Amino acid sequence: QKEVEQNSGPLSVPEGAIASLNCTYSDRGSQSFFWYRQYSGKSPELIMSIYSNGDKEDGRFTAQLNKASQYVSLLIRDSQPSDSATYLCAVWWEYGNKLVFGAGTILRVKS
Amino acid sequence: SAVISQKPSRDICQRGTSLTIQCQVDSQVTMMFWYRQQPGQSLTLIATANQGSEATYESGFVIDKFPISRPNLTFSTLTVSNMSPEDSSIYLCSVDGGTGPTDTQYFGPGTRLTVL
């Protein structure tokens, strides 16, 4: 079984700071990577996808991918209390034709 | 992205009974997935449902316990059979990107199941 590892947290940051969420994966052949946000009691919501090495920016969110190091990260700039949630890293496993999820990192943004 | 609905949104059931959860999407999709999420845990894939073929179950999940139907490209059901308290969980349906990337998944709102 392919693995996706995340620090469970909680990661606490002050409002306005940059939150940095990290994820490593075991399948060197993986090509597709995703970040989901899950508020308590809600279902996961896709916030970013990334396929190429480097950075991908969308508003306050930046996804970073380094396939050589098998590492994906999500940066949230100007963090807001409304960003407090669990962030799930997911990697598409082509051979298994399914997404493999990490355990999630709890983010708390303090005002 | 597709609009996905699930019924029921929550239910409380007695041990030994069965519950069928419905997942409806507003556009045609190739792949539909069923997940379980226990309190404080991440997502566990139960099975993948493709239209016109048998569902593909993950290790630890069997068809007798979790029968799945996929009669068309916009609908699927998951039945939780002969329930025990250990089946209490949130059950989530997800779908692929439709005309978009098939490796992208979007989730329905979930069904919160409590078994007494």
Side-chain angles (χ1 to χ4, degrees), chain A residues 43-109:
Chain A
S43 63
E45 172 193 9
L46 179 67
I47 54 172
M48 290 286 286
S49 60
I50 187 166
Y51 300 91
S52 304
N53 279 328
D55 295 359
K56 179 182 177 182
E57 188 174 316
D58 184 359
R60 295 187 296 112
F61 297 101
T62 299
Q64 299 177 318
L65 174 61
N66 184 326
K67 292 182 182 179
S69 300
Q70 295 176 236
Y71 177 92
V72 191
S73 65
L74 180 70
L75 301 179
I76 306 174
R77 290 183 301 280
D78 188 24
S79 295
Q80 301 297 309
S82 59
D83 294 325
S84 298
T86 298
Y87 288 81
L88 299 166
C89 174
V91 179
W92 180 256
W93 180 31
E94 290 221 33
Y95 179 76
N97 215 24
K98 63 182 181 180
L99 273 180
V100 180
F101 282 87
T105 299
I106 298 170
L107 173 66
R108 294 181 181 153
V109 181

Side-chain angles (χ1 to χ4, degrees), chain B residues 2-6 23-26 32 93-95 106-109:
Chain B
V3 176
I4 307 162
S5 60
Q6 282 186 238
C23 178
Q24 178 77 54
V25 61
D26 69 345
M32 298 180 79
C93 164
S94 76
V95 304
Y106 302 94
F107 285 85

Side-chain angles (χ1 to χ4, degrees), chain B residues 14-94:
Chain B
Q14 295 298 317
R15 180 195 300 259
T17 62
S18 298
L19 176 72
T20 295
I21 302 168
Q22 298 179 3
C23 178
Q24 178 77 54
V25 61
D26 69 345
S27 58
Q28 294 184 342
V29 294
T30 302
M31 299 170 75
M32 298 180 79
F33 304 85
W34 288 99
Y35 290 83
R36 182 171 72 183
Q37 188 173 34
Q38 296 180 310
Q41 303 295 314
S42 189
L43 302 169
T44 300
L45 180 64
I46 297 172
T48 302
N50 292 328
Q51 193 257 345
S53 63
E54 294 283 333
T56 302
Y57 289 83
E58 296 299 302
S59 176
F61 297 96
V62 295
I63 188 171
D64 289 347
K65 175 67 176 177
F66 297 100
I68 287 171
S69 77
R70 178 79 195 275
N72 56 52
L73 293 175
T74 63
F75 186 79
S76 178
T77 66
L78 169 75
T79 299
V80 186
S81 303
N82 188 25
M83 288 184 286
S84 67
E86 291 71 35
D87 294 318
S88 297
S89 189
I90 297 172
Y91 291 85
L92 292 153
C93 164
S94 76

